[in-house]
Amino acid sequence: MKILVDLHHEDLYRSLLLLAERLGADLFIPKGLEWYTEGKWCVYDHINTANQFLSNESYGAYPGVSLDEARATDWDMVIVTHCNHFATWNEMFSDRSPVVLQVGNNWNYNHEQFMGVRNVLNSTSTQWPQALNHVRYHPELEPVADTAANPLSIYSFCHYPTETARNLFSELGKRLPDWDMRLYGAGTDRCGISGQDNVLRLAAECGFLFQHKAGGDGYGINIHRAWANGKSVIMDYDHYADKMSAMCMVDGLSSIDLSLGIDATANAVTKYVEDYAANSDLIKDIWKRNCDPATEWINKLKPFFERVLND
């Protein structure tokens, strides 16, 4: 089985690789600038961004196809993960291959670019009433590195953190002067993390995840990766109460509420580390009960893809 997918988020792509393994499929991504110059790929309309995603320099290890090869291939399935691509790819491929929209952000379902959506693989709390075939799921994540966590450490992996997020992180650090506090991501002093191996190492190494995004996340891969590996997440509950993350939020255990103030947050994490290992095991159990990939594959995803392929 051959599946074409657009790569715009490496963690998401790697979760789809795990899904492809369950399907017994090979995954291919666009390669070559003609995808961009002919208007068939546009994560962001700039040649440097196109080069980043479409050349072999960044993602050469992942199998890919030229635009001509993609047009000539009878794909068993096409998966679209970026909103800018759905209309174009649906027009290109839907006459001979089923097209699936993977939803990982809080997109507006009734936008004109989503006309013709039939199959939705949804990792958000948003609704898609026009989809004849819909499933809500949690993307499977690869294991983090076998690295011991430092309980007295708090890392953030958000790109371009707001001034509010920076100030909150700084104030928390002042309350916890002996802790290892690190901001990673584009727009921070440490910049983005180069290489997936380093992403997984740092995810294993950190004691807590700090996640401050005023709009929340559609899914929140960093949050779910933290929970899958027994890390508590320091977050503003108002950002996530109506998001996919809400089902795993247990106050004082899997989540610590920033909106209660910095002093309360510092007190909560200090109390948490008194029994770090036991709390970590409880968080893993909470995540598995709600998001276990093996269970979702049997109960949700396998039937969904059987419908996609047999429609």
Side-chain angles (χ1 to χ4, degrees):
M1 184 187 300
K2 292 183 177 181
I3 300 175
L4 178 67
V5 60
D6 55 338
L7 186 159
H8 82 279
H9 188 299
E10 190 170 13
D11 280 318
L12 172 59
Y13 172 77
R14 291 170 78 108
S15 80
L16 292 173
L17 279 175
L18 297 173
L19 179 57
E21 288 180 13
R22 293 188 181 276
L23 287 164
D26 295 316
L27 216 56
F28 297 84
I29 62 173
K31 289 284 182 75
L33 279 177
E34 70 274 9
W35 282 91
Y36 173 69
T37 57
E38 294 191 28
K40 307 303 182 185
W41 184 98
C42 189
V43 167
Y44 181 70
D45 192 9
H46 195 285
I47 188 64
N48 290 344
T49 305
N51 270 317
Q52 176 188 347
F53 285 96
L54 299 174
S55 71
N56 279 321
E57 186 174 339
S58 298
Y59 302 111
Y62 302 145
V65 291
S66 68
L67 181 56
D68 286 343
E69 289 170 331
R71 285 170 167 153
T73 300
D74 288 327
W75 299 101
D76 294 284
M77 192 188 315
V78 173
I79 299 178
V80 182
T81 68
H82 197 280
C83 57
N84 290 349
H85 297 159
F86 180 77
T88 300
W89 283 35
N90 195 49
E91 183 180 357
M92 270 203 301
F93 299 114
S94 63
D95 62 336
R96 63 186 189 278
S97 304
V99 178
V100 175
L101 177 65
Q102 195 282 337
V103 179
N105 292 293
N106 296 320
W107 297 328
N108 186 343
Y109 73 86
N110 62 5
H111 194 283
E112 62 182 5
Q113 66 191 354
F114 297 125
M115 295 275 294
V117 168
R118 292 177 60 86
N119 305 297
V120 173
L121 183 61
N122 188 359
S123 64
T124 75
S125 58
T126 59
Q127 305 303 312
W128 291 83
Q130 76 270 47
L132 298 177
N133 188 21
H134 173 276
V135 67
R136 184 169 281 109
Y137 83 118
H138 298 84
E140 187 170 356
L141 302 174
E142 59 196 316
V144 298
D146 186 16
T147 302
N150 172 14
L152 304 185
S153 64
I154 302 174
Y155 294 178
S156 170
F157 301 114
C158 288
H159 294 306
Y160 302 105
T162 63
E163 183 177 356
T164 298
R166 290 173 184 271
N167 289 339
L168 287 169
F169 193 80
S170 175
E171 289 301 313
L172 184 57
K174 292 176 183 177
R175 269 66 167 190
L176 303 168
D178 297 326
W179 287 48
D180 185 0
M181 308 283 294
R182 304 186 195 179
L183 283 175
Y184 288 97
T188 70
D189 291 341
R190 294 179 183 271
C191 301
I193 304 165
S194 177
Q196 193 67 8
D197 288 345
N198 286 324
V199 171
L200 298 177
R201 176 181 58 79
L202 291 169
E205 179 184 298
C206 70
F208 294 79
L209 175 70
F210 181 95
Q211 185 86 354
H212 187 277
K213 294 176 73 174
D217 296 277
Y219 178 63
I221 282 180
N222 286 330
I223 291 174
H224 284 271
R225 178 184 285 130
W227 286 335
N229 293 282
K231 320 284 184 172
S232 187
V233 180
I234 301 166
M235 63 205 306
D236 188 320
Y237 287 7
D238 291 338
H239 298 169
Y240 290 96
D242 60 347
K243 305 297 190 300
M244 282 287 277
S245 301
M247 66 175 61
C248 291
M249 290 164 57
V250 178
D251 188 46
L253 186 61
S254 61
S255 56
I256 294 171
D257 190 4
L258 262 175
S259 70
L260 297 180
I262 291 299
D263 289 333
T265 301
N267 289 338
V269 298
T270 301
K271 180 180 179 182
Y272 179 100
V273 298
E274 292 174 1
D275 204 357
Y276 188 90
N279 288 334
S280 179
D281 288 340
L282 288 171
I283 293 172
K284 291 176 186 176
D285 184 62
I286 291 166
W287 185 84
K288 189 167 184 178
R289 279 189 278 115
N290 286 283
C291 312
D292 180 50
T295 302
E296 286 201 345
W297 166 252
I298 294 169
N299 294 337
K300 292 184 175 184
L301 293 173
K302 190 170 182 286
F304 170 81
F305 284 108
E306 287 173 348
R307 294 192 298 271
V308 169
L309 295 169
N310 296 321
D311 185 7

